[in-house]
Amino acid sequence: MSDDINSVDVGTAQDVEDIMKKYDRESNVRIWEGRPAVIVRWLSALFSLYCIYVTLFSTAMPEIRLNIFLGLILILGYLHYPIRKASGEIKPGLNDSISIPITLDTTPRVNSIPFYDIIIMLAGAIPFFYFAWNAESIIKLALRVTSPRNPNYVLMVSMAVIAILSTMELCRRCVGIPILCVVGALMLYAFSTVRFGKVIYDLYYSTGDGLRSTPIEVCAKYIVVFIIFGAFLERTGISTFFINLANAIAGASAGGPAKVAVISSALCGMVSGSSVGNTVTTGSVTIPMMKRTGYKPEFAGAVEAAASTGGQIMPPIMGAAAFLMAEYMGIPYSQVALKAILPAVLYFTGIYIAVHLEARKLGLKGIPKEELPRILKLLPKIYLLLPLVVLVIMVSTNMYTMQFSAAIAIGIAILVGLMNSDERITPRKIIDALEAGGRGTITVAVACAMAGLVAGCITSTGLASELITMVVNVSGGHAFIALVLTMICCIILGMGVPTTANYCIMAATCAPILMAPAIGIEKICAHFFVFYFGIVADITPPVALAAYAGSAIAKAPPMKTAFNATKLAIGAFIVPYIFAFTPAMLFENVQPIIAIAGAGPVLTNILVVLEIVLICATALLGIFGVAAALNGYLYKPMNPILRVIICAGGLSMLVPGIVSDLIGLMLVGFVVTVQYMKRDVNPAV
């Protein structure tokens, strides 16, 4: 099988790197070699160790911890990310087209960091370290720190402005423009309506708003440790285990490689925390297999991108977002994981059905059984799941704090890696994991800092009520229109932002609007809604980074791959609207299937369980109807009328309720019956 896969025309690692450098700012890093590379590598690794130590043992006040954390993030950030995508630098010269004595050398440079980046890096980091060193005296001054009566007024304001601007510039380099535009607009509004000194205080010196608000606190306390845990877990060989397991389960069925991609990406993606990283990791194996089987390149890349993106919503880990959602929503982690089950199952079921129908339509076969791994031979490797199992148990039972549980899981991952003879973890891999964790933290922390600035501007100006009023006025008080507007906002703000930081931004900006009494979406539903649509930004054109990564491996047009991925992930665009209006899909406020007067607690619980089973069953049938409509094939190609009917039936069954379920069941059943009766006419397989 490997020889056949190697003969398939797929993109190389360089192709993936080139296309990601074109579209993804996080992929555009400086090129370090030799001794400078060793220095940067060790700085990143030591930063990870520092973060683990601080989150576990530090008793310092937040103003000290968070300022040091942000200062180190700026240093590492400017060491990794250049001013432009091409890793070039500005140098004196004469431009031929316009008379400006500056030219831009776009040739990638090795071991080069221009002087202006060093100046920005130091100028931006020093204010954070100064604040940490003088935290107690600055806190005592409170608002007077930015009052013109303060003898050090110019110094304090200048440092705050420089720190904020340098953080925003780093955001431009490693995250992107959309969130920066929002921050810039809100800051301009704040400075035009509120006293200058107060805005500066709220954004930089305040202990509860601005840069040091909840998003960056959560990042420094929880996210960092989970990012490092994910980096260690990847080096235990668990991705190979997941891919082999998926092959053993579904590889031999019709269009098996695509189904393998769905299963393996769901399993790998829930721990990776990166849609793009998951696409590249599993896609390098699954996409060649799909192309070899006969899937079109754009479809193969889309399947991997859609499944990898869905890994971020797959419980119990959800790319570490589950632990953050528990913190933001104020509910136990176990409840978050439970509530995420049905939407995730619907998402992956939709993709699985789509690839199965596509295989039937094209007459594609599976992988020969003799070329597939046996489940019994995989069982000895099941110990690779131990870090995940221990982490989930410790967090679910509240045995320890989330960060301590993650630290224990890191230690177990190292032990498990030592036991894996196929991909044994070594001291070098440990340093690699620490380096990857430190590097991965940069983008997340910067995005969280921007979320803090957004929250700070809204708090400083009292803009929250005005934003809610504006959304209510634009939507005319209709919750559905408000949800559509929020969806658009989430997709725009989520472009190119990592999963965990993505959710922090959505929780700070979009969720409160939906929870307003005038709109009336329940808290848990609102948070899940914004989380889902922030995630699907990775496969939604025009900035569909996961789809672009898949297209690079598949050697397919990026935009065509993105549109295919969006169609495959249709469940992620439908299901959030359903649970926004019917929380029962999230197992919230579930009522008994039948109200029986005088029913005891046992009978009531049985009826509630039956209601949950009914919701799950009808939702699965509903997603089947929608997937079949989009694919246009069941037993044979469907005409447009049948596609509309089965789509309407599927949507009806996605809405919990006896009447809607019966209507949907009849419509879906009608189309399936018609297709089945004509199955022998021009069969596809």
Side-chain angles (χ1 to χ4, degrees):
M1 181 174 66
S2 59
D3 292 338
D4 292 333
I5 291 175
N6 291 334
S7 65
V8 175
D9 183 25
V10 293
T12 63
Q14 186 61 46
D15 293 330
V16 177
E17 183 179 349
D18 290 343
I19 198 166
M20 295 316 296
K21 281 187 175 182
K22 181 178 180 182
Y23 295 107
D24 181 20
R25 290 184 180 274
E26 192 178 3
S27 299
N28 289 279
V29 294
R30 298 189 196 278
I31 302 173
W32 297 108
E33 293 179 357
R35 184 170 295 177
V38 173
I39 294 173
V40 173
R41 169 184 167 86
W42 275 97
L43 285 176
S44 299
L46 290 172
F47 173 72
S48 291
L49 291 174
Y50 166 80
C51 289
I52 294 173
Y53 170 79
V54 169
T55 194
L56 293 179
F57 305 112
S58 176
T59 58
M61 65 177 69
E63 289 76 13
I64 295 176
R65 289 187 294 103
L66 298 181
N67 276 299
I68 293 176
F69 176 76
L70 286 168
L72 294 175
I73 284 292
L74 279 182
I75 291 174
L76 285 178
Y78 281 99
L79 285 175
H80 279 91
Y81 296 100
I83 193 170
R84 285 178 62 89
K85 288 185 176 183
S87 303
E89 59 182 75
I90 298 172
K91 66 179 184 179
L94 183 64
N95 192 295
D96 294 333
S97 58
I98 50 177
S99 298
I100 298 178
I102 289 175
T103 59
L104 185 67
D105 181 8
T106 58
T107 304
R109 294 176 176 270
V110 177
N111 295 341
S112 173
I113 178 169
F115 71 92
Y116 52 81
D117 273 358
I118 297 175
I119 293 173
I120 297 173
M121 176 181 70
L122 295 177
I126 287 173
F128 288 112
F129 295 137
Y130 178 86
F131 193 168
W133 185 262
N134 299 279
E136 291 186 7
S137 59
I138 291 175
I139 292 172
K140 289 178 182 178
L141 285 172
L143 275 169
R144 289 172 294 170
V145 72
T146 55
S147 169
R149 298 179 181 178
N150 182 357
N152 297 319
Y153 169 76
V154 175
L155 173 65
M156 303 306 287
V157 170
S158 298
M159 287 198 300
V161 171
I162 292 171
I164 292 171
L165 291 178
S166 59
T167 307
M168 292 175 68
E169 165 60 13
L170 183 56
C171 174
R172 183 195 68 80
R173 296 185 182 198
C174 66
V175 179
I177 300 296
I179 183 62
L180 202 58
C181 292
V182 174
V183 173
L186 287 174
M187 288 180 66
L188 289 175
Y189 176 79
F191 284 123
S192 65
T193 56
V194 181
R195 183 175 62 85
F196 178 82
K198 183 173 187 309
V199 175
I200 292 296
Y201 176 81
D202 288 342
L203 296 185
Y204 185 72
Y205 291 106
S206 172
T207 57
D209 298 316
L211 286 175
R212 276 164 294 280
S213 58
T214 301
I216 203 68
E217 171 71 26
V218 170
C219 178
K221 193 174 182 180
Y222 302 123
I223 297 178
V224 176
V225 191
F226 284 110
I227 290 175
I228 298 169
F229 168 66
F232 273 98
L233 201 61
E234 288 176 3
R235 284 156 180 82
T236 63
I238 196 170
S239 295
T240 303
F241 174 76
F242 282 148
I243 292 172
N244 288 334
L245 180 63
N247 267 301
I249 293 172
S253 60
K259 296 173 182 176
V260 170
V262 175
I263 297 172
S264 61
S265 297
L267 296 173
C268 295
M270 69 176 175
V271 298
S272 72
S274 170
S275 302
V276 175
N278 190 28
T279 301
V280 173
T281 301
T282 57
S284 61
V285 177
T286 60
I287 290 176
M289 292 167 59
M290 284 187 273
K291 290 187 68 176
R292 171 208 176 197
T293 303
Y295 286 105
K296 295 179 181 178
E298 60 269 21
F299 189 84
V303 169
E304 181 57 52
S308 294
T309 299
Q312 313 304 297
I313 62 175
M314 182 71 178
I317 306 299
M318 299 165 65
F323 308 105
L324 304 180
M325 295 179 80
E327 181 79 7
Y328 271 99
M329 295 189 291
I331 63 176
Y333 155 77
S334 56
Q335 288 191 26
V336 176
L338 177 66
K339 294 177 187 301
I341 290 175
L342 182 55
V345 168
L346 293 178
Y347 180 90
F348 285 104
T349 299
I351 300 176
Y352 194 92
I353 291 171
V355 299
H356 175 74
L357 294 176
E358 185 74 10
R360 292 289 304 275
K361 182 166 64 176
L362 298 175
L364 305 181
K365 305 296 182 182
I367 302 171
K369 289 186 177 181
E370 59 272 13
E371 298 181 8
L372 295 173
R374 303 288 182 182
I375 290 183
L376 291 178
K377 291 187 176 181
L378 294 176
L379 288 180
K381 292 287 186 181
I382 201 168
Y383 65 85
L384 291 171
L385 299 177
L386 189 61
L388 283 175
V389 173
V390 170
L391 175 64
V392 171
I393 291 175
M394 291 178 69
V395 176
S396 300
T397 57
N398 294 319
M399 293 173 60
Y400 301 101
T401 61
M402 285 193 286
Q403 59 268 38
F404 187 80
S405 300
I408 294 296
I410 290 173
I412 295 175
I414 294 174
L415 294 176
V416 164
L418 291 172
M419 296 167 58
N420 187 3
S421 57
D422 295 333
E423 298 183 47
R424 195 182 305 279
I425 199 166
T426 61
R428 182 180 181 84
K429 285 187 177 181
I430 292 175
I431 301 301
D432 286 343
L434 291 171
E435 179 197 10
R439 188 173 62 247
T441 301
I442 298 171
T443 306
V444 178
V446 172
C448 287
M450 293 302 103
L453 290 178
V454 169
C457 289
I458 292 174
T459 302
S460 181
T461 59
L463 189 60
S465 59
E466 296 181 27
L467 287 174
I468 292 171
T469 302
M470 181 178 68
V471 172
V472 171
N473 290 337
V474 173
S475 64
H478 297 289
F480 179 78
I481 299 176
L483 288 169
V484 172
L485 294 174
T486 304
M487 175 192 74
I488 296 171
C489 182
C490 289
I491 290 175
I492 293 174
L493 292 178
M495 291 177 178
V497 181
T499 299
T500 44
N502 193 326
Y503 172 67
C504 285
I505 294 172
M506 303 310 159
T509 57
C510 298
I513 296 175
L514 294 180
M515 292 185 292
I519 296 175
I521 304 299
E522 292 191 16
K523 182 178 183 179
I524 291 174
C525 299
H527 278 266
F528 268 94
F529 185 92
V530 300
F531 174 62
Y532 263 58
F533 282 113
I535 296 302
V536 297
D538 280 340
I539 53 172
T540 306
V543 185
L545 296 182
Y548 294 162
S551 72
I553 300 173
K555 283 200 169 182
M559 197 57 65
K560 200 170 183 179
T561 305
F563 279 111
N564 272 278
T566 303
K567 186 173 73 170
L568 287 168
I570 191 64
F573 293 88
I574 297 175
V575 172
Y577 285 94
I578 306 300
F579 62 60
F581 291 110
T582 53
M585 185 170 279
L586 296 176
F587 307 135
E588 186 81 2
N589 302 331
V590 181
Q591 300 298 323
I593 186 172
I594 301 174
I596 299 178
V602 175
L603 180 57
T604 300
N605 289 336
I606 292 174
L607 294 174
V608 168
V609 171
L610 289 175
E611 174 66 8
I612 292 174
V613 171
L614 181 62
I615 289 172
C616 294
T618 54
L620 288 170
L621 287 173
I623 207 71
F624 163 76
V626 174
L630 288 173
N631 189 271
Y633 182 91
L634 275 177
Y635 294 98
K636 61 173 293 182
M638 287 187 285
N639 62 45
I641 296 176
L642 290 179
R643 293 178 71 172
V644 171
I645 293 174
I646 197 171
C647 182
L651 292 174
S652 296
M653 296 184 77
L654 282 169
V655 180
I658 297 295
V659 176
S660 61
D661 288 345
L662 290 175
I663 293 173
L665 185 60
M666 287 189 293
L667 293 176
V668 172
F670 168 75
V671 175
V672 172
T673 302
V674 170
Q675 283 274 293
Y676 182 78
M677 292 175 65
K678 296 182 178 181
R679 68 190 184 283
D680 292 329
V681 179
N682 191 24
V685 180

